[in-house]
C-alpha cells in the first residue's frame, strides 16, 4: 500500500522539509506513604523499581519525560510540585504505587496548572494470597488511595482522570497512550501558531471564526497573513528550486495527462514559497482563501496553492482552503492522533449503496490515500477563480472518523465526530479527495443528524475509529464532544 514519506530530508532548496514537532512533555511523580518504609524494609525498593518501569514505558511512547522522582510525604510532594510547575508540562502523571495521602499530590495538581492523570498499576495481575504478608500486599495497594485522590481533587476543583491495571497490562497502557496523544493535541494548541491568509470566502457565514476565541479557548496564536506575504516569496523562488520541487512532486504523485506543464511549474513554485511562509512565521496550521480577478498575480498565487498545501499537510502542517480556520484546527487534531485528516465536505448521497459521498478539492492528507495520489489539471476550480493542478485520490478502505470543530451561539467551541467505514465503489474523477462512507444507517438520516450537530460544512476526515481518542482530547481541552452515530 502506498504511503507518503514525510521523513525525507532536504537541503533547503525546494525539497520537502520536515519540521521536527515538539515532543509531548510528561511530568512524572511516583509516591507512597513514608510511614511504611521502616516497617517493611523491602517495600520501598520494590515500589521504586515499579516507578522506574513506568518511566521506561513513558519514554518508549516518544515523550519528553520530566521525572521528579519518588515522594514519601507532603513536604516532598510540595517540592515535586514546584519542579513540575517550572517544567511547564503538558500532562502530569501521578503514579500511586501504594497508599499515599491526598496532601502529597494535591499541591502537584494545583501548582502545575496542567491536566492530571493518576495511575494505579499494581505489579502483576493478582496477589499470591497464600504467600503474601502485609508488606507484599502494600505493593498492590495503589487502588486504595485512588478514591481519596478523586474526592480531594473534586473538592479542590482540580479535574483528573485515572487508569487502573497492572504494570505490563497492555489494555491499561493503550488507555494511557490515549491520554498521552490527547496531551499532544493540547500541547499543539497551546504552542500553536495558526496562519489565516487572505480573506473569507464571500457568504460562508458558517466558517467565520473569531481568532481571539481560538487563543482564549484553545491557546496559541492566530497569525493574520496577507496574500502579499505569499506573493513576495513566490517572486523570490529560483528556477532551480522550482525544478527540484517538480521532481519531488513526480516522485510523490502520478501526473495525469490533463496536467499542463506551465500550471505544474507554477504550482511547484508556489509550493516552495509556501514552505518559506510556514518557516518564516513558524506556522503550525494554515487556512487560506483569496479571490483575485482576471488572472492577475494574486489570483494566480491563490490558485496555485493546492500542490504545496497538500505537501504541507502531509508533513504535519495542516492546510485548509476557503479560509476554514476551525477545519485546519480539526485537521491538526486528527494529524496529532495519527489519523491523517483531510479537508472534507459532503458531495452527494448514494441511497442505492447506502453510502455518503464526501471529499473536497484542495489540500489533502497524502498519508490516507489508498494508492499513489494523482495530480490532475483543471481548467476551472468550481466556485473559485483560477485554474491549475489539483490533488486527487481515494481514501483507504476501512474505518474512518470525521472530526469537526463547531462553534455555538455563545461562541464556545465543541468537537463533533462520527465513525464510519470507507467502502470501495465508483467515485468522481474531478481533482478531489473523495470517499464513500458507510455509517451503518440510512444516508439521509445520518446527513440530517450530522448537519444538526452544529458542524460547519467542512471537517477533517481521518483513518481509524477515533471517538475514544477524541473523548480524551475533549476532556483535556475542556470541550464538549458531540458524537453522531446510528
Amino acid at each position: 500500500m502506498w504511503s507518503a514519506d514525510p521523513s525525507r530530508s532536504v537541503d533547503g532548496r525546494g525539497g520537502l522539509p520536515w519540521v521536527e514537532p515538539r515532543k509531548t512533555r510528561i511530568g512524572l511523580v511516583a509516591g507512597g506513604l513514608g510511614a511504611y518504609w521502616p516497617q517493611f524494609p523491602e517495600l520501598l525498593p520494590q515500589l521504586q523499581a515499579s516507578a522506574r518501569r513506568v518511566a521506561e514505558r513513558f519514554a518508549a511512547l516518544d515523550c519528553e519525560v520530566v521525572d521528579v522522582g519518588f515522594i514519601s510525604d507532603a513536604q516532598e510532594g510540595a517540592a515535586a510540585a514546584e519542579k513540575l510547575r517550572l517544567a511547564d508540562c503538558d500532562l502530569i502523571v501521578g503514579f500511586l504505587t501504594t497508599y499515599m495521602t491526598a496532601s502529597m499530590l494535591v499541591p502537584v495538581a494545583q501548582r502545575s496548572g496542567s491536566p492530571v492523570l493518576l495511575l494505579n498499576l499494581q505489579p502483576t495481575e493478582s496477589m499470591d494470597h497464600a504467600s503474601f504478608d502485609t508488606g507484599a500486599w502494600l505493593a498492590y495497594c495503589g487502588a486504595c488511595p485512588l478514591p481519596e485522590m478523586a474526592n480531594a481533587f473534586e473538592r479542590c476543583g482540580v479535574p483528573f482522570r485515572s487508569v487502573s491495571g497492572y504494570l505490563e497490562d497492555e489494555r491499561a497502557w493503550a488507555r494511557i497512550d490515549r491520554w498521552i496523544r490527547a496531551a499532544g493535541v493540547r500541547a499543539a494548541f497551546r504552542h500553536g501558531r495558526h496562519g489565516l491568509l487572505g480573506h473569507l470566502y464571500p457568504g460562508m457565514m458558517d466558517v467565520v471564526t473569531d481568532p481571539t476565541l481560538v487563543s482564549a479557548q484553545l491557546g496559541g496564536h492566530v497569525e493574520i497573513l496577507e496574500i502579499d506575504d505569499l506573493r513576495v516569496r513566490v517572486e523570490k523562488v529560483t528556477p532551480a528550486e522550482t525544478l527540484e520541487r517538480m521532481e519531488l512532486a513526480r516522485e510523490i504523485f502520478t501526473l495525469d495527462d490533463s496536467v499542463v506543464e506551465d500550471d505544474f511549474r507554477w504550482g511547484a513554485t508556489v509550493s516552495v514559497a509556501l514552505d518559506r511562509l510556514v518557516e518564516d512565521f513558524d506556522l503550525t496550521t494554515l487556512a487560506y482563501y483569496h479571490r483575485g480577478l482576471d488572472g492577475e498575480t494574486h489570483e494566480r498565487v491563490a490558485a496555485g496553492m493546492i500542490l504545496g498545501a497538500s505537501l504541507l499537510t502531509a508533513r504535519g502542517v495542516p492546510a485548509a482552503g476557503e479560509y476554514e480556520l476551525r477545519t485546519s484546527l480539526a485537521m491538526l487534531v486528527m494529524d496529532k492522533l495519527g489519523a491523517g485528516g483531510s479537508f472534507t465536505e459532503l458531495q452527494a448521497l448514494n441511497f442505492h449503496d447506502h453510502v455518503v459521498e464526501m471529499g473536497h478539492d484542495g489540500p489533502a492528507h497524502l498519508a490516507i490515500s489508498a494508492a499513489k495520489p494523482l495530480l490532475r489539471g483543471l481548467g476551472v476550480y468550481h466556485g473559485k477563480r483560477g485554474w491549475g493542478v489539483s490533488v486527487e485520490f481515494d481514501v483507504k478502505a476501512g474505518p474512518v472518523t470525521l472530526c469537526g470543530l463547531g462553534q455555538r451561539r455563545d461562541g464556545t467551541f465543541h468537537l463533533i465526530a462520527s465513525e464510519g467505514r470507507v467502502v470501495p465503489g465508483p467515485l468522481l474523477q474531478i481533482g478531489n479527495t473523495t470517499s464513500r462512507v458507510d455509517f451503518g444507517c440510512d444516508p439521509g438520516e445520518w446527513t440530517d443528524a450530522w448537519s444538526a450537530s452544529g458542524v460547519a460544512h467542512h471537517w477533517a476526515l481521518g483513518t481509524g475509529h477515533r471517538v475514544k481518542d477524541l473523548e480524551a482530547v475533549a476532556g483535556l481541552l475542556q470541550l464538549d464532544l458531540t458524537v453522531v452515530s446510528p
Side-chain angles (χ1 to χ4, degrees):
M1 181 172 291
W2 182 89
S3 63
D5 179 15
S7 62
R8 171 188 173 111
S9 62
V10 229
D11 57 11
R13 296 177 301 162
L16 182 57
W18 176 251
V19 178
E20 187 66 31
R22 174 188 177 276
K23 286 191 175 183
T24 306
R25 185 174 300 154
I26 304 301
L28 178 61
V29 56
L33 188 64
Y36 295 146
W37 313 152
Q39 296 175 328
F40 308 100
E42 296 180 356
L43 178 60
L44 179 58
Q46 181 181 3
L47 302 182
Q48 290 173 327
S50 293
R52 287 192 296 272
R53 178 58 180 150
V54 167
E56 290 172 359
R57 291 292 301 252
F58 273 107
L61 293 175
D62 196 29
C63 301
E64 177 187 347
V65 181
V66 180
D67 189 348
V68 296
F70 199 99
I71 61 174
S72 300
D73 54 37
Q75 289 80 5
E76 292 181 358
E82 184 62 15
K83 292 177 183 177
L84 292 176
R85 182 186 69 81
L86 296 173
D88 187 28
C89 296
D90 302 312
L91 183 71
I92 300 295
V93 178
F95 179 23
L96 314 179
T97 66
T98 185
Y99 176 74
M100 55 194 297
T101 64
S103 64
M104 296 168 65
L105 277 189
V106 165
V108 173
Q110 286 179 317
R111 296 183 194 178
S112 70
S114 302
V116 177
L117 172 65
L118 299 179
L119 299 186
N120 159 38
L121 301 176
Q122 62 189 40
T124 64
E125 293 175 90
S126 63
M127 294 186 293
D128 182 355
H129 298 81
S131 64
F132 271 32
D133 58 12
T134 301
W137 155 60
L138 285 172
Y140 285 72
C141 200
C144 179
L146 186 56
E148 176 178 336
M149 299 295 171
N151 179 280
F153 280 26
E154 168 65 24
R155 292 166 68 183
C156 291
V158 177
F160 78 99
R161 59 285 308 154
S162 66
V163 172
S164 293
Y166 57 95
L167 276 178
E168 305 303 336
D169 183 354
E170 295 307 322
R171 295 169 301 175
W173 280 103
R175 291 160 59 199
I176 293 167
D177 182 53
R178 181 174 295 141
W179 288 114
I180 299 300
R181 282 183 278 124
V185 174
R186 177 179 178 272
F189 282 132
R190 286 180 63 224
H191 299 278
R193 290 176 52 82
H194 309 292
L196 195 54
L197 185 153
H199 60 80
L200 181 72
Y201 188 106
M204 286 187 180
M205 298 171 64
D206 62 323
V207 306
V208 182
T209 302
D210 179 349
T212 302
L213 293 181
V214 174
S215 298
Q217 297 181 47
L218 303 175
H221 167 73
V222 177
E223 182 73 17
I224 306 300
L225 302 168
E226 304 280 357
I227 190 69
D228 288 313
D229 288 319
L230 182 57
R231 175 189 60 80
V232 296
R233 288 168 174 82
V234 168
E235 293 170 351
K236 293 178 181 179
V237 175
T238 68
E241 290 170 329
T242 294
L243 286 174
E244 187 173 352
R245 185 55 55 95
M246 293 171 73
E247 292 173 6
L248 175 67
R250 286 190 177 95
E251 293 178 23
I252 295 175
F253 299 92
T254 296
L255 268 63
D256 187 72
D257 291 341
S258 59
V259 172
V260 176
E261 185 72 7
D262 285 346
D263 294 346
F264 178 35
R265 183 178 294 105
W266 179 250
T269 300
V270 176
S271 175
V272 175
L274 274 171
D275 287 347
R276 292 208 176 121
L277 183 81
V278 166
E279 181 180 357
D280 291 346
F281 287 94
D282 192 24
L283 299 181
T284 308
T285 68
L286 177 66
Y288 66 89
Y289 176 76
H290 183 82
R291 181 169 52 190
L293 186 65
D294 293 341
E296 50 81 38
T297 300
H298 296 93
E299 177 187 301
R300 293 193 65 228
V301 168
M305 292 180 67
I306 292 176
L307 171 60
S310 293
L311 293 176
L312 283 175
T313 302
R315 68 179 179 92
V317 182
E322 298 180 8
Y323 213 61
E324 246 290 31
L325 175 59
R326 294 202 310 279
T327 295
S328 65
L329 299 179
M331 291 166 67
L332 180 63
V333 171
M334 297 301 277
D335 184 77
K336 291 299 181 184
L337 293 177
S342 266
F343 189 44
T344 309
E345 67 182 4
L346 294 175
Q347 290 181 328
L349 308 183
N350 186 326
F351 291 96
H352 177 74
D353 294 340
H354 304 288
V355 297
V356 178
E357 298 181 25
M358 59 183 68
H360 208 289
D361 60 352
H365 201 304
L366 307 182
I368 68 173
S369 178
K372 192 173 183 179
L374 182 76
L375 273 186
R376 184 181 293 280
L378 298 180
V380 61
Y381 291 147
H382 70 270
K384 302 184 233 349
R385 299 197 60 87
W387 64 93
V389 293
S390 188
V391 173
E392 177 179 304
F393 65 71
D394 304 345
V395 175
K396 297 174 184 176
V400 293
T401 301
L402 313 185
C403 175
L405 185 63
Q407 185 172 350
R408 296 193 173 104
R409 182 187 304 182
D410 63 2
T412 57
F413 297 137
H414 63 124
L415 288 171
I416 304 159
S418 189
E419 294 178 338
R421 296 189 67 84
V422 166
V423 296
L427 295 166
L428 293 173
Q429 297 179 4
I430 57 173
N432 284 17
T433 303
T434 54
S435 52
R436 295 158 41 94
V437 187
D438 183 350
F439 291 99
C441 61
D442 177 81
E445 292 180 2
W446 179 88
T447 300
D448 290 336
W450 181 247
S451 302
S453 70
V455 72
H457 80 281
H458 302 124
W459 50 86
L461 182 148
T463 54
H465 282 164
R466 307 286 179 168
V467 162
K468 288 293 185 183
D469 293 335
L470 292 172
E471 287 175 353
V473 170
L476 294 193
L477 294 176
Q478 298 183 358
L479 299 178
D480 292 336
L481 171 65
T482 300
V483 179
V484 176
S485 57

